[in-house]
Amino acid sequence: KDEAYEVKELVLLREEEVPRDAAAVVITGPKTLPSEHELKLLTKYIDKGGSLLLMIDPGGAKGIDAFLIKYGVVLKNDLVVDFMSKVYGSDFRMPVVTEYTEHPITENFGQASFFPVARSVFVDEDKVPEQGKVLALASSGPKSWAETDFEGLKTGKASFDEGEDTMGPIPLSAVVTIGDEKAHDPRDI
């Protein structure tokens, strides 16, 4: 709102389609999987060139991975741990990103970003729809890892376990573009 965007709440269960004037649909921290009706509306919106931003917490919205894999996005059930965050005065459960993949979304990113309570977001190029492209945008540092022991995290005793956890860098975000990338330039939103 501070940047002159008009923000409206959208309850997809009550809608027959995503409003035509929606520049983007943003879903943050869903606790449950969207209904079949909601997923159908989101799919239709994406198929028509709509922009969708999903921010899924570790353990959140179980089952959304089946929706995302259609687009080549693979969510893992983990939490990314990065003790380098402490150097920046932050919590180890808040990985720091200092390098970004070249893309219009990350074009002017020149400073470190912190991703509080992040899970790994891998790409599977074999699952991307025809005329689609998937790209990991931001990854944690090489000393971070994707932790699968949630009970250990609760007690603050995170440690890398070979064979169970994945060593960094860990992708924390991904972008999927379907069709003409120029038609989906995020700077236009």
Side-chain angles (χ1 to χ4, degrees), residues 116-187:
V117 194
R119 71 190 306 165
S120 61
V121 181
F122 288 92
V123 299
D124 184 345
E125 294 181 16
D126 294 333
K127 301 284 187 185
V128 181
E130 190 176 318
Q131 298 179 343
K133 181 178 169 185
V134 64
L135 182 68
L137 284 179
S139 296
S140 61
K143 294 187 179 190
S144 64
W145 71 89
E147 178 65 58
T148 57
D149 179 10
F150 288 99
E151 289 304 314
L153 285 168
K154 286 179 185 175
T155 64
K157 296 182 180 175
S159 63
F160 179 76
D161 297 312
E162 189 78 39
E164 292 179 32
D165 300 330
T166 305
M167 195 60 169
I170 304 293
L172 303 173
S173 65
V175 63
V176 179
T177 306
I178 301 171
D180 181 11
E181 194 167 328
K182 290 182 178 32
H184 301 282
D185 191 329
R187 293 170 294 191

Side-chain angles (χ1 to χ4, degrees), residues 15-81:
E15 303 293 333
E16 292 303 316
E17 68 177 10
V18 174
R20 296 178 195 273
D21 64 345
V25 173
V26 178
I27 301 174
T28 60
K31 302 292 183 219
T32 60
L33 176 67
S35 71
E36 188 175 320
H37 173 73
E38 292 169 310
L39 291 174
K40 195 178 291 184
L41 294 182
L42 291 172
T43 300
K44 188 175 176 183
Y45 174 70
I46 292 167
D47 290 347
K48 289 182 175 181
S51 297
L52 173 64
L53 172 62
L54 289 171
M55 292 183 268
I56 312 295
D57 293 332
K62 291 182 184 354
I64 196 115
D65 49 340
F67 174 75
L68 292 174
I69 195 64
K70 300 186 307 191
Y71 300 101
V73 177
V74 180
L75 296 180
K76 299 288 184 165
N77 189 26
D78 55 29
L79 187 133
V80 179
V81 172

Side-chain angles (χ1 to χ4, degrees), residues 81-117:
V81 172
D82 186 357
F83 283 97
M84 281 302 296
S85 296
K86 288 189 169 222
V87 172
Y88 293 97
S90 189
D91 187 284
F92 71 91
R93 292 167 296 191
M94 193 177 298
V96 62
V97 174
T98 57
E99 294 184 31
Y100 306 90
T101 304
E102 189 174 316
H103 187 274
I105 291 174
T106 58
E107 187 174 285
N108 294 316
F109 287 18
Q111 296 183 6
S113 299
F114 293 90
F115 286 69
V117 194

